[in-house]
Amino acid sequence: ILDRYDRKLPFGPWVRGIAAKLLLNHRRKIGRSRVHYCDEEVLGRIDDGFRAFARIPADTFDESLDALRDCMARLTGPQRESIVLHYEHGLHCKQIAERLGIGFEAVKKHLQRGRAQLHRCLQGKIPTEDVA
């Protein structure tokens, strides 16, 4: 299904639309009379939440990818190399340690600190809203 996504369009609304259709199909399948846990007020609040999500900036795939690339560039060399080897190439810490010529514990620290740095950086680049 992901191969049908147009990267020029916002990703969040697209994926949330799929989720909404799956939920509606589920409701149809089990029958409306058996769905007692969602009254109109709850459904209205869910709709409000979806509308708020649709307004979140940096919601296109390309915008998110650009933000990630910029944040990756800000990492130290060992952090960036460890993250690329682990997440892009699928190497385990022991393999990364051998490839980079550093200790196993050092790789774990580079991954831990790199992920924390990416998290902080992306939070600053892709602001979120309170949707509740």
Side-chain angles (χ1 to χ4, degrees):
I1 202 166
L2 192 57
D3 59 333
R4 290 186 268 162
Y5 169 64
D6 180 355
R7 289 184 176 200
K8 294 179 188 94
L9 299 174
F11 181 74
W14 178 79
V15 78
R16 289 185 296 272
I18 291 170
K21 287 176 185 161
L22 289 171
L23 179 61
L24 288 173
N25 286 340
H26 177 71
R27 286 181 68 187
R28 270 189 234 114
K29 190 185 289 185
I30 65 171
R32 196 168 179 93
S33 63
R34 292 175 51 195
V35 180
H36 298 289
Y37 51 87
C38 284
D39 61 22
E40 290 303 315
E41 181 183 347
V42 172
L43 291 174
R45 292 186 70 184
I46 291 171
D47 287 340
D48 292 344
F50 277 125
R51 280 191 289 279
F53 274 127
R55 292 189 305 267
I56 296 173
D59 207 18
T60 66
F61 183 84
D62 289 335
E63 288 172 322
S64 297
L65 189 57
D66 288 344
L68 178 60
R69 284 182 178 140
D70 184 56
C71 290
M72 284 290 292
R74 295 170 187 242
L75 297 177
T76 67
Q79 289 173 350
R80 185 173 44 258
E81 289 171 349
S82 295
I83 285 177
V84 167
L85 290 171
H86 183 68
Y87 291 102
E88 190 174 325
H89 298 284
L91 298 182
H92 297 285
C93 291
K94 184 177 179 182
Q95 296 166 308
I96 296 168
E98 291 170 1
R99 172 125 1 140
L100 297 180
I102 60 177
F104 177 80
E105 291 298 321
V107 171
K108 286 175 38 179
K109 277 294 181 194
H110 289 315
L111 287 171
Q112 177 187 27
R113 290 177 180 155
R115 284 188 296 254
Q117 178 65 27
L118 284 175
H119 179 74
R120 285 189 300 273
C121 181
L122 288 170
Q123 278 186 317
K125 292 184 169 299
I126 304 175
T128 59
E129 295 179 11
D130 181 15
V131 295

